[in-house]
Each structure stands twice: as C-alpha cells, then as structure tokens.
Amino acid sequence: MTHTGTSRWRRRTGEYASLAAALEAAGDGDILTIAPGTYRENLVVTRAVTLRGPDGAAGSVRLAPLDGVPLTVRASATVQDLHVEGQDTAAPALLVEDGAPELSNLRIVTRSAAGLEVRGAARPTVRRCSVDNPAGVGIGVLDGSGGVFEECEVLAAGQAGVSVRGGAHPRLERCRVHHASGAGLSVTGEGSGLEAIGCEVYEIKGTGVQIASRGSAHLTDSSVHRTSADGITLDTDAVLTLSDCDIHDIPENAVDLRSRSVLTLTRSTVRHFGRNGLSVWDPGTRVDANQCEIHDSTGDYPAVWVSDGATAVLDSCRVRDVPDALFVLDRGSRVDVVDSDLSSVRNTAVSVSDGATAQLDDCRIKEVSTGAWFRDHGSGGTLNSCTIDTVQTGVIVTKGADPTIERCTVTSPAEAGFYVSAEGRGSFHHCRVTGSGGYGFHVMDGCRTTLTRCRTERCARGGYEFPEDGPTAEDCTSDESGVLTPPVPEPPSVLTATQSSPGLLGGVPARSAATAAPAPESVPDRPARASDEVLSELDALVGLESVKREVRALTDMIEVGRRRKEAGLKAASVRRHLVFTGNPGTGKTTVARLYGEILHSLGVLERGHLVEVSRVDLVGEHIGSTAIRTQEAFDRARGGVLFIDEAYALSPEDSGRDFGKEAIDTLVKLMEDHRDAVVVIVAGYTAEMERFLTVNPGVASRFSRTITFSDYVPEELLRIVEQQSEEHEYRLAEGTGEALLKYFTALPKGPAFGNGRTARQTFESMVERHAGRVAQLPLTSTDDLTLLYADDLPELP
C-alpha cells in the first residue's frame, strides 16, 4: 500500500497479509496495489482509496469469495484492473452503495442475481468494464441511483442486460449489451430513466429495449438488432426518444407502444422487421417521427400499425419496400403524414378502417398497388396536395367511408385513378388523373360522391364512369375528344352537374361522360329463341338426363310464376342462382349457356348471354384490385349469366391473406343488390364445391339448388364421337363403333379424364391419323375420305 498523506510517518509503503487488513489501514487517497492471485475475501471499500491490480498484469487479480458480495463500494474510491467472481446466487458480484467511485477495466463473472448493482445515492463512473452473468441481471441501477457507464459491455445476462428501476437514472456511453435472455435495456417505474449514447443492443433473446410503468429513456446514435422478440416496447405511460438510431433485423415488431406511451423518433431508421415497424395501440399512445426511414419488411404485415385510438405523426419520413405502409384502425385512431414518401409497397400505402382517420399533406406515393383505401363507415380524413404515381388503383373508397381528397394527382394507374363502390362517399376537389389504364374516376351505383373541378387526361377506358343516379360533379373536365350521344351544347370536355338532373353530366347520361377512349366492349343483344327451341337443344345433348330434369323443373317453375303474375296471383320466389358440380367435360358450361337463353326467352333475363370467368379473372394481386375485377365481371354479365368455373379456388383451404375472400364478399353483395339482373352459376369438382359452400355459408344461402353432372359412360362417349362424325361429314366404318366402346371402357378415368372433352379429342386424333393414312394414297374415293377405322384410334395413355 502506498500512503499519500503529508506527514512523514504516512509517506511510506507497506505490505499486508490480507486485502481487508490493507483497507483497514488505508486512508483517503491511498493506493492499494494487489499482488496477482485469487482472494477469497469479501471486500468493503469505505474510503476514497485506489484499489488496483499490478501494472501490466490486468486480470491477474481475482476476487472470488465462496459466498456473499465479493466487492462492495461505499465511497468515492477508484477500483481498476480486477477480475471479480461471484459465487452467491442471491448477491451481486459488485455492489456500489454510495459515493461517486470510478470503476475501470473490471471483468465481472458470476451466476448471481446481478453482476454489477448500483443503489441509493451512488453515482459511479464505470469505464471499460465487462459483465458476464448468464443467471441474472447484467447491470442493475436502482433505488434513485445513477452513474455514467462508458465503453462497458454486458457479455451475457440471464435476465435484463441493463435494468433501471426505482427512480434510478444512469447514462450509458458507447456500451454494448448482448446475449441477454431478458430485455437488453429495461427501464421500469416512475422517475426511472436512461440515457444511452452510441450504444449497441443485439443478440437478445427477449426485447431489445423495454420501457414500462412511467419509465423514460433517450437513445442517441444507438442501434438495436437481432432480437428474438420485439426490438423496442413501451407500455403504461412510458416515454422514449430515439435520435439517429438504427433498429434492424427484428423478427417481431421493431417498435411496439401501448397504454398511453409516447415515442419520439428523429433521423432514425427502422428496417428488416418481421411484423410491424411501428405498432401503436390504445388511446393516448402516440408516435412522432421526423426524418425517419422505415423499410425492407421481411414479413407480411403493415409497416406502421395504428389502432384502438392511438396516434402516429410522420413528418419528412420515407416508408418503402413493405407489404403495406400505414394501417389505421378503430374510431379515434389517427395518422398524420406530412411531406413524406411511401414507395415500393406491395399492397396498400394507406389503409383506413373502422372509423379511423388519416391526414396526408404534400406526400408522394409511388410504385404501390393501392395508394389509399378508405374502407368503411366512419373512416375518413383528408389527402391534400399528394401525388400518387405508378399504382394499380390510386384511391379506393368503400362501404360508407367519407374522405376528402383535395388537389391530389394520380398518374399512370393500371386500373383506376379513383374508385368508389359499395355505398362509399368521398369529396374530390381539384383532383387529376393522368394516363389511367382504366377509368379516371370510377363511381359505382349507390355512392354519394362529390366531384369539384377535377380533370382526367389520357384514360384508356374513359375519364369518368358514373351510374345513372351518379355523383354530384361540378366543373369537371376531361381531354376526351367527344362524348356519347345525345350531344350537349357545352364543349364535350366539360362536365357539369345540375340541380334538376343530378344523374346527368352536362345533359349527358352520367355513364356516358367519359369517352375519347372506346366504351367497354359489350355483348350485342340477339333475338330471343323460343324456350321450346332451346330446350330441344338441351334434350339433344348426350346423357345428362338428371341435369335435363332439373333444368326443366326450374324453367317450369319460372314459367308458371310468370303466368301467375300475369293473372294477378302471387308467384313463388324462385332463386335462379345455381351450383354445378361434377368433373371436367360433363357439359356444365354448355348447360349454363342454354339456361341463360331459356331465361331470356321467358323474359326473366334481359339478354341471356354467358360470361365465363375463373379465379384469375376475379382475384387481383393486391388489396383493392379484386373488388374492382369482380365488379367489372358482374357488370359484363348484367342481363345474363355469370359462370364462375372452379369457384372453390376463391376459398382455398389455407387461405391466409388470400384475396379470394374479397371476391366472394363482393360477389355476395352484388348478388343481393342486383338479384334480378344477373344469374350466377358456380361450378367445380363435387367434393371441392361441397367444401366451398360449407366454408362460405353466405354464398351457399344465395343458391337455390345444386345440380350434379355425372361422368359419361362409354356408350355416351361413343355417341358423342358419332355426333362429331356426322357434324364433320365422317362415318364410322364397320367395327369402329365396337372398337371405340372398348377403347372408352379401358380408358383410365383418373383426374386427367375429360369426359365429353376426351371424346372430342379422341375424334380429333382419329381424324389426324386418318389424314396421315389417306394422304399417302395416289387416288382417293369418297369412302377413303370419309370412313374412320378402328386403326385410326389413338393409343391408350
């Protein structure tokens, strides 16, 4: 021990048999240099001494008592170059209880409650120390204490890496916390706070940073990454400020806030997260982000999720390369976005539902599927001076939502600039659509929408598509070169709504307002064939006896109902929608076409035409496009039959985020709203259709009956080949019919078997083989050109 006192007798160096004896003899300012070795003593430092290992031999001194606290500091001492090992699971390895000691170059290894614990009035300065405690807390700061930790490292912790509670308030500078089984940094309790500068939290089995119960923290120039749970969580009035921070490679939520917590982010980045980048819940919870970036989601969740009355504010931020950018749900929830960029979004940039509100000012939305979708009643807000570029659909408004869209421009949408359906509302002022692949403004029936001084340019299907009782439109213009008749006195590019005729635009029916591009292709009306003539064609089909009986029973019911109405009697309500089940090639499409013609001949359907679609025609690749596609298919079928083949594909067994449900929901509503305009027939394999109707009871309730199409037997397949031969002026030679019957009997009836299609393909193969044979003959007779032989049959697969 080196004494530093001024008296002569104190200026000397002494050696002591134990550390306790040296500490007992030491005075303030004395320096205790510990010889290399392992010391099984419990040291308590109560004076302002210096306790250190030998120069040039860092780590050669081990404090390792069998139980208790190896080192307790209760004074403004200096402790350096020691290796502290705790053996007592109930006690910290290093305990600082008072004073402002300086601790440096310490290595703490233990399996105890805490590696380094600071309590009470202590305010230590801890530099370049490491803590390895796989059983408990790495560093605990509690009970109103504080201190500064510089370049320290928590190598492992069985609980939190750094735990702050009980009103403590430490400062961390350039520290690293990793391989903790609890939170990396944990701050709990009113008055508890943490300031971290230049720190790194990573390889955490729990949450990276956890602030709770009125705790607060401020992280600057720090990073949180590679956690097993959320990156950062705030709960119950927690407050956190992040400045110049980087939160990345998080499998769950990058940041999750609840219960009136407040988060402020400045110039920070949130990236590579598995769930939400920002997850904000509950009334009073708020996020303020300025000059931040949120990008590169690795999961299938929105980048920013705001619900249950929470608020998020994004100013000068960028959100990109995510499935969805902003989802705002529930009444009272709100998001305000100013001067920000939302780009490369696979689905919807801004989604507002369940009464939530979104306010976007001077924002840029680019390369997304849907720019903004206001989904349902009570949902709204304002888009002001925003640009939406390279999208499928710019803005969608549905189910009573009522946003205000002002001075916004949609450029190059693939399907529509603005789409309003399902009683959506919305006010559009000074908006513009340029280069749409569909319509500029597409407003469906029953939507109370207002357009003022809007303009469309170069829209492929037309500038404006409105129903007869369409929206209120004032001073709206288009670059289209003309309008549909009747002509109007005003220039054809100006659309004006009048009080006396709200369904007209400048005197032109609203549906005709958009035109330099050709109107959607329509199915020409054709003279109705008599029902007997169509039924005769149905009877001429091979087989299908039970199907024919079902169709005749239906048409008889409809015909009698029509006659009862004419006689002034009540007519039973007959649901005309049908389910066709059976294997491919059994005539389902043909019967659907004839059924439409029969209903047309009976005056039930206006046109009776058939529109055949499947999943690929109805389901889009992003949120919003499916409803549009389904609506358009339904519109094409107005007055006729909408035939949906393989309808079960709209409801796969493992649906997940599949958009087929959106097609089903849209279809069910359209069938209810326009029950007399379109007959819908869904078709597919028997077992799959039974599952489809079970999974979607709302669909099942819309259909009157199921008609099963049985497989063709060999005799019926032979008859189809005979019909094909007669139609194409061929004949079956003697014995060919018997050969065909044996062929169809032996033909495998697996999944690839096409029934009537197989019979037609067999005939086509016979014709090809016949041609190859006859082409080699120098001279040919009529029999040569018309007779098909058994040798012309293809090989069995």
Side-chain angles (χ1 to χ4, degrees):
M1 177 173 62
T2 301
H3 295 282
T4 60
T6 57
S7 64
R8 181 181 301 274
W9 69 269
R10 297 279 290 174
R11 293 196 302 272
R12 61 186 173 79
T13 299
E15 294 184 0
Y16 295 84
S18 68
L19 297 178
L23 286 173
E24 179 67 25
D28 290 344
D30 287 347
I31 300 173
L32 284 75
T33 303
I34 307 174
T38 300
Y39 296 84
R40 304 294 184 182
E41 301 181 54
N42 301 93
L43 300 186
V44 179
V45 180
T46 58
R47 298 184 178 92
V49 300
T50 297
L51 189 66
R52 70 183 187 187
D55 292 337
S60 62
V61 176
R62 297 173 62 233
L63 300 181
L66 297 178
D67 55 21
V69 180
L71 178 60
T72 302
V73 181
R74 295 173 180 160
S76 298
T78 299
V79 182
Q80 60 189 50
D81 300 326
L82 303 182
H83 189 115
V84 182
E85 295 185 11
Q87 308 292 327
D88 192 331
T89 59
L94 173 55
L95 176 60
V96 183
E97 292 186 314
D98 204 352
E102 294 189 11
L103 313 176
S104 60
N105 298 317
L106 303 181
R107 177 172 173 79
I108 303 168
V109 179
T110 184
R111 296 189 66 86
S112 60
L116 167 59
E117 187 168 286
V118 183
R119 296 178 180 171
R123 299 290 187 273
T125 298
V126 186
R127 297 187 178 94
R128 297 178 300 280
C129 292
S130 66
V131 179
D132 186 345
N133 181 18
V137 172
I139 298 174
V141 188
L142 52 145
D143 298 338
S145 61
V148 176
F149 296 79
E150 299 177 358
E151 300 181 36
C152 293
E153 182 174 13
V154 175
L155 300 168
Q159 299 176 31
V162 176
S163 175
V164 181
R165 55 190 174 88
H169 206 296
R171 174 187 174 95
L172 277 59
E173 297 182 7
R174 303 179 302 282
C175 293
R176 294 194 300 161
V177 179
H178 54 93
H179 293 90
S181 296
L185 305 178
S186 174
V187 183
T188 306
E190 188 167 8
S192 300
L194 169 71
E195 185 175 3
I197 301 172
C199 295
E200 184 178 13
V201 179
Y202 63 100
E203 296 294 353
I204 305 298
K205 291 185 179 179
T207 298
V209 177
Q210 184 175 25
I211 318 295
S213 303
R214 300 182 182 273
S216 64
H218 186 169
L219 275 61
T220 303
D221 193 24
S222 298
S223 66
V224 179
H225 58 105
R226 302 205 303 273
T227 64
S228 295
D230 294 337
I232 296 175
T233 62
L234 283 76
D235 199 357
T236 314
D237 301 291
V239 177
L240 173 64
T241 301
L242 299 176
S243 301
D244 301 294
C245 291
D246 189 6
I247 317 299
H248 65 95
D249 293 296
I250 308 295
E252 298 294 328
N253 298 308
V255 183
D256 183 84
L257 297 80
R258 298 170 187 263
S259 303
R260 303 172 304 280
S261 297
V262 177
L263 170 67
T264 302
L265 302 95
T266 305
R267 299 179 303 277
S268 294
T269 300
V270 176
R271 56 191 173 95
H272 295 118
F273 45 89
R275 292 182 71 88
N276 306 125
L278 298 177
S279 178
V280 193
W281 299 72
D282 304 325
T285 305
R286 180 183 177 94
V287 168
D288 283 273
N290 184 268
Q291 302 178 62
C292 295
E293 291 201 14
I294 304 173
H295 61 88
D296 290 307
S297 167
T298 59
D300 198 24
Y301 300 87
V304 178
W305 176 281
V306 182
S307 65
D308 290 348
T311 300
V313 178
L314 279 66
D315 190 348
S316 303
C317 293
R318 295 180 62 196
V319 182
R320 58 182 173 84
D321 296 303
V322 295
D324 299 279
L326 310 177
F327 254 55
V328 197
L329 301 90
D330 306 318
R331 187 168 302 279
S333 299
R334 181 181 181 90
V335 64
D336 288 87
V337 189
V338 180
D339 190 24
S340 295
D341 292 273
L342 312 177
S343 63
S344 299
V345 179
R346 294 195 292 276
N347 298 317
T348 304
V350 181
S351 176
V352 186
S353 61
D354 297 328
T357 301
Q359 172 84 35
L360 275 71
D361 294 284
D362 300 301
C363 291
R364 297 157 296 278
I365 300 174
K366 186 175 182 179
E367 296 176 357
V368 307
S369 290
T370 301
W373 189 355
F374 297 88
R375 293 173 175 264
D376 45 32
H377 182 74
S379 303
T382 302
L383 268 60
N384 182 37
S385 300
C386 296
T387 60
I388 303 174
D389 185 19
T390 316
V391 297
Q392 290 291 323
T393 305
V395 176
I396 298 175
V397 182
T398 55
K399 298 181 181 178
D402 192 11
T404 299
I405 317 296
E406 298 179 336
R407 297 178 179 83
C408 292
T409 300
V410 180
T411 305
S412 303
E415 295 179 356
F418 298 94
Y419 179 74
V420 186
S421 70
E423 299 181 358
R425 304 184 71 174
S427 301
F428 301 86
H429 307 296
H430 298 273
C431 292
R432 178 180 175 186
V433 181
T434 302
S436 173
Y439 297 109
F441 290 82
H442 191 173
V443 180
M444 302 304 298
D445 188 24
C447 299
R448 290 184 290 170
T449 303
T450 301
L451 283 74
T452 306
R453 297 184 180 179
C454 295
R455 179 166 177 78
T456 65
E457 299 173 353
R458 303 188 307 278
C459 296
R461 298 188 66 183
Y464 302 85
E465 173 70 357
F466 298 156
E468 297 296 336
D469 57 345
T472 301
E474 181 178 352
D475 296 332
C476 295
T477 63
S478 173
D479 70 344
E480 311 299 353
S481 59
V483 296
L484 296 179
T485 56
V488 295
E490 303 159 43
S493 62
V494 177
L495 310 176
T496 305
T498 63
Q499 294 270 343
S500 59
S501 54
L504 303 179
L505 293 175
V508 181
R511 185 171 296 278
S512 306
T515 59
E521 183 177 339
S522 60
V523 179
D525 292 330
R526 59 189 175 191
R529 292 195 291 171
S531 60
D532 290 344
E533 182 182 348
V534 184
L535 287 169
S536 296
E537 184 177 339
L538 176 67
D539 290 336
L541 296 177
V542 174
L544 305 177
E545 298 307 323
S546 63
V547 174
K548 295 170 186 175
R549 286 194 298 271
E550 292 275 6
V551 173
R552 278 194 174 273
L554 269 174
T555 54
D556 288 346
M557 285 283 294
I558 293 169
E559 170 64 13
V560 171
R562 184 181 66 82
R563 293 182 184 180
R564 285 177 62 87
K565 281 186 177 180
E566 291 176 352
L569 301 172
K570 289 183 178 180
S573 176
V574 180
R575 289 184 176 176
R576 303 185 296 268
H577 307 304
L578 302 175
V579 179
F580 286 179
T581 66
N583 291 325
T586 48
K588 295 187 291 293
T589 306
T590 300
V591 172
R593 177 180 58 79
L594 294 175
Y595 182 58
E597 279 201 67
I598 293 170
L599 297 184
H600 178 40
S601 68
L602 295 175
V604 173
L605 290 177
E606 183 180 352
R607 300 161 74 182
H609 65 290
L610 180 76
V611 174
E612 182 177 1
V613 297
S614 62
R615 173 187 167 90
V616 70
D617 302 299
L618 302 179
V619 178
E621 298 178 354
H622 67 282
I623 295 176
S625 64
T626 296
I628 296 174
R629 290 188 182 188
T630 305
Q631 176 77 64
E632 290 179 344
F634 195 89
D635 288 344
R636 291 198 306 273
R638 283 183 184 273
V641 174
L642 178 63
F643 182 79
I644 306 175
D645 198 14
E646 297 181 350
Y648 53 83
L650 296 174
S651 181
E653 291 185 78
D654 183 15
S655 59
R657 284 174 57 90
D658 186 80
F659 297 135
K661 184 178 184 301
E662 186 180 346
I664 294 171
D665 293 343
T666 304
L667 187 65
V668 168
K669 188 175 190 311
L670 290 170
M671 290 170 67
E672 183 64 27
D673 293 346
H674 308 281
R675 62 175 65 91
D676 296 327
V678 176
V679 167
V680 177
I681 299 176
V682 292
Y685 291 103
T686 302
E688 283 81 351
M689 290 303 295
E690 288 175 356
R691 178 186 60 79
F692 170 71
L693 295 174
T694 302
V695 171
N696 294 280
V699 175
S701 66
R702 298 298 190 276
F703 293 92
S704 61
R705 66 180 67 195
T706 297
I707 298 177
T708 300
F709 288 66
S710 301
D711 287 340
Y712 287 109
V713 298
E715 290 78 9
E716 292 170 337
L717 296 172
L718 171 60
R719 179 60 189 142
I720 292 174
V721 174
E722 290 173 342
Q723 285 184 346
Q724 291 284 301
S725 299
E726 293 171 7
E727 183 179 342
H728 293 87
E729 296 185 341
Y730 285 90
R731 294 177 295 146
L732 300 182
E734 186 176 351
T736 304
E738 290 80 357
L740 273 165
L741 197 59
K742 292 179 181 178
Y743 178 86
F744 287 130
T745 301
L747 195 66
K749 307 299 192 295
F753 181 63
N755 281 288
R757 188 180 305 116
T758 297
R760 289 187 291 273
Q761 290 170 346
T762 300
F763 170 72
E764 291 167 358
S765 295
M766 293 179 70
V767 169
E768 289 179 6
R769 293 167 70 92
H770 165 269
R773 172 171 53 79
V774 173
Q776 308 306 316
L777 301 177
L779 297 173
T780 54
S781 64
T782 301
D783 285 347
D784 293 331
L785 294 172
T786 58
L787 283 174
L788 298 175
Y789 291 91
D791 290 342
D792 294 324
L793 275 167
E795 298 292 332
L796 279 169

XYZ file of all heavy atoms in Angstrom, residues 372-404:
238
model
N -54.372 4.717 -51.508
C -55.065 4.878 -50.223
C -56.415 4.188 -50.325
O -57.082 4.271 -51.356
C -55.240 6.347 -49.871
N -56.797 3.507 -49.268
C -58.089 2.807 -49.244
C -58.804 3.186 -47.958
O -58.393 2.850 -46.861
C -57.890 1.300 -49.306
C -59.183 0.542 -49.507
C -60.444 1.035 -49.532
C -59.311 -0.868 -49.720
N -61.366 0.049 -49.744
C -60.704 -1.128 -49.862
C -58.406 -1.920 -49.786
C -61.182 -2.417 -50.073
C -58.900 -3.209 -49.998
C -60.269 -3.449 -50.145
N -59.927 3.917 -48.107
C -60.821 4.246 -47.001
C -61.928 3.199 -47.045
O -62.756 3.199 -47.945
C -61.354 5.656 -47.159
C -60.267 6.705 -47.108
C -59.591 7.078 -48.263
C -59.900 7.288 -45.911
C -58.575 8.026 -48.224
C -58.883 8.234 -45.861
C -58.218 8.606 -47.014
N -61.978 2.332 -46.034
C -62.677 1.069 -46.201
C -64.142 1.054 -45.799
O -64.939 0.346 -46.407
C -61.942 -0.031 -45.421
C -60.575 -0.361 -45.989
C -59.811 -1.328 -45.087
N -58.554 -1.732 -45.690
C -58.377 -2.846 -46.380
N -59.387 -3.647 -46.568
N -57.207 -3.159 -46.896
N -64.523 1.778 -44.728
C -65.873 1.549 -44.229
C -66.422 2.775 -43.520
O -65.757 3.803 -43.416
C -65.898 0.329 -43.296
C -64.747 0.333 -42.309
O -64.326 1.435 -41.907
O -64.262 -0.751 -41.952
N -67.661 2.643 -43.027
C -68.395 3.759 -42.461
C -67.634 4.404 -41.304
O -67.100 3.733 -40.440
C -69.764 3.283 -41.961
C -70.612 4.388 -41.404
N -71.232 5.319 -42.213
C -70.908 4.716 -40.122
C -71.880 6.176 -41.436
N -71.711 5.837 -40.174
N -67.581 5.735 -41.315
C -66.891 6.474 -40.273
C -65.418 6.687 -40.543
O -64.771 7.490 -39.871
N -64.874 5.961 -41.486
C -63.464 6.117 -41.832
C -63.311 7.282 -42.799
O -64.112 7.439 -43.720
C -62.917 4.839 -42.476
O -63.102 3.741 -41.608
N -62.297 8.091 -42.562
C -62.132 9.244 -43.441
C -60.839 9.959 -43.178
O -59.840 9.375 -42.777
N -60.877 11.261 -43.403
C -59.677 12.061 -43.292
C -59.486 12.880 -44.552
O -60.418 13.057 -45.350
N -58.277 13.345 -44.755
C -58.002 14.230 -45.885
C -56.678 13.861 -46.530
O -55.680 13.638 -45.838
C -57.948 15.694 -45.427
O -59.187 16.043 -44.814
C -57.685 16.618 -46.600
N -56.688 13.789 -47.853
C -55.465 13.746 -48.634
C -55.353 15.090 -49.330
O -56.228 15.460 -50.130
C -55.495 12.620 -49.669
C -54.925 11.257 -49.255
C -55.682 10.698 -48.065
C -54.968 10.278 -50.417
N -54.297 15.827 -49.034
C -54.176 17.177 -49.555
C -52.834 17.341 -50.284
O -51.772 17.082 -49.709
C -54.269 18.190 -48.400
C -54.198 19.621 -48.886
O -54.723 19.954 -49.941
N -53.533 20.469 -48.131
N -52.902 17.745 -51.542
C -51.698 18.038 -52.348
C -50.745 16.858 -52.378
O -49.527 17.012 -52.235
C -50.992 19.286 -51.794
O -51.847 20.403 -51.827
N -51.297 15.678 -52.559
C -50.470 14.472 -52.642
C -50.373 14.000 -54.095
O -51.266 14.259 -54.900
C -51.070 13.349 -51.792
S -51.110 13.722 -50.020
N -49.291 13.329 -54.429
C -49.134 12.718 -55.743
C -49.081 11.214 -55.580
O -48.421 10.694 -54.680
C -47.866 13.214 -56.446
O -46.721 12.872 -55.644
C -47.905 14.720 -56.630
N -49.792 10.510 -56.452
C -49.850 9.046 -56.418
C -49.471 8.574 -57.810
O -50.182 8.840 -58.780
C -51.254 8.559 -56.023
C -51.666 9.156 -54.671
C -51.305 7.053 -55.970
C -53.091 8.852 -54.259
N -48.362 7.861 -57.909
C -47.787 7.547 -59.222
C -47.484 6.059 -59.330
O -46.989 5.437 -58.377
C -46.494 8.362 -59.403
C -45.901 8.198 -60.795
O -46.632 7.775 -61.709
O -44.702 8.489 -60.961
N -47.762 5.504 -60.519
C -47.443 4.118 -60.847
C -48.083 3.170 -59.830
O -47.409 2.533 -59.009
C -45.916 3.888 -60.906
O -45.301 4.965 -61.611
C -45.593 2.586 -61.627
N -49.400 3.072 -59.890
C -50.162 2.233 -58.974
C -51.156 1.390 -59.768
O -51.367 1.626 -60.960
C -50.921 3.099 -57.941
C -49.954 3.865 -57.073
C -51.886 4.058 -58.644
N -51.756 0.420 -59.112
C -52.898 -0.269 -59.709
C -54.137 0.619 -59.605
O -54.795 0.898 -60.602
C -53.134 -1.602 -58.996
C -52.073 -2.646 -59.262
C -52.099 -3.163 -60.678
O -53.159 -3.334 -61.283
N -50.925 -3.417 -61.226
N -54.445 1.074 -58.388
C -55.561 1.991 -58.158
C -55.084 3.106 -57.238
O -54.425 2.829 -56.236
C -56.753 1.262 -57.515
O -57.114 0.144 -58.329
C -57.950 2.189 -57.382
N -55.428 4.340 -57.570
C -54.949 5.465 -56.769
C -55.596 5.528 -55.407
O -54.929 5.389 -54.383
N -56.915 5.734 -55.364
C -57.652 5.842 -54.101
C -58.922 5.016 -54.225
O -59.644 5.116 -55.223
C -58.001 7.305 -53.767
C -58.856 7.370 -52.506
C -56.736 8.130 -53.586
N -59.201 4.196 -53.210
C -60.427 3.405 -53.158
C -61.249 3.876 -51.957
O -60.714 4.054 -50.857
C -60.126 1.908 -53.015
C -59.342 1.398 -54.230
C -61.411 1.107 -52.859
C -58.910 -0.055 -54.110
N -62.548 4.070 -52.165
C -63.464 4.452 -51.088
C -64.629 3.467 -51.123
O -65.298 3.335 -52.142
C -63.972 5.894 -51.254
C -64.882 6.278 -50.098
C -62.811 6.874 -51.375
N -64.863 2.759 -50.007
C -65.900 1.728 -49.988
C -66.716 1.784 -48.709
O -66.317 2.370 -47.701
C -65.271 0.324 -50.104
O -64.306 0.156 -49.067
C -64.600 0.127 -51.444
N -67.882 1.171 -48.751
C -68.732 0.873 -47.589
C -68.973 2.071 -46.676
O -68.838 1.986 -45.458
C -68.121 -0.280 -46.786
C -68.016 -1.570 -47.576
C -67.426 -2.690 -46.750
C -67.311 -3.959 -47.583
N -66.686 -5.065 -46.820
N -69.336 3.200 -47.255
C -69.732 4.345 -46.457
C -68.604 5.222 -45.969
O -68.850 6.204 -45.257
N -67.370 4.919 -46.287
C -66.254 5.791 -45.909
C -66.420 7.148 -46.581
O -66.991 7.261 -47.665
C -64.927 5.165 -46.300
N -65.900 8.206 -45.948
C -66.166 9.553 -46.461
C -64.933 10.463 -46.310
O -64.926 11.368 -45.474
C -67.362 10.151 -45.720
C -67.883 11.417 -46.397
O -67.459 11.705 -47.532
O -68.707 12.120 -45.775
N -63.900 10.232 -47.097
C -62.718 11.100 -47.015
C -62.873 12.341 -47.887
O -63.784 12.429 -48.725
C -61.610 10.213 -47.567
C -62.321 9.385 -48.600
C -63.705 9.131 -48.043
N -61.969 13.282 -47.672
C -61.874 14.458 -48.536
C -60.531 14.408 -49.248
O -59.483 14.325 -48.599
C -61.979 15.755 -47.716
O -63.250 15.789 -47.065
C -61.827 16.966 -48.607
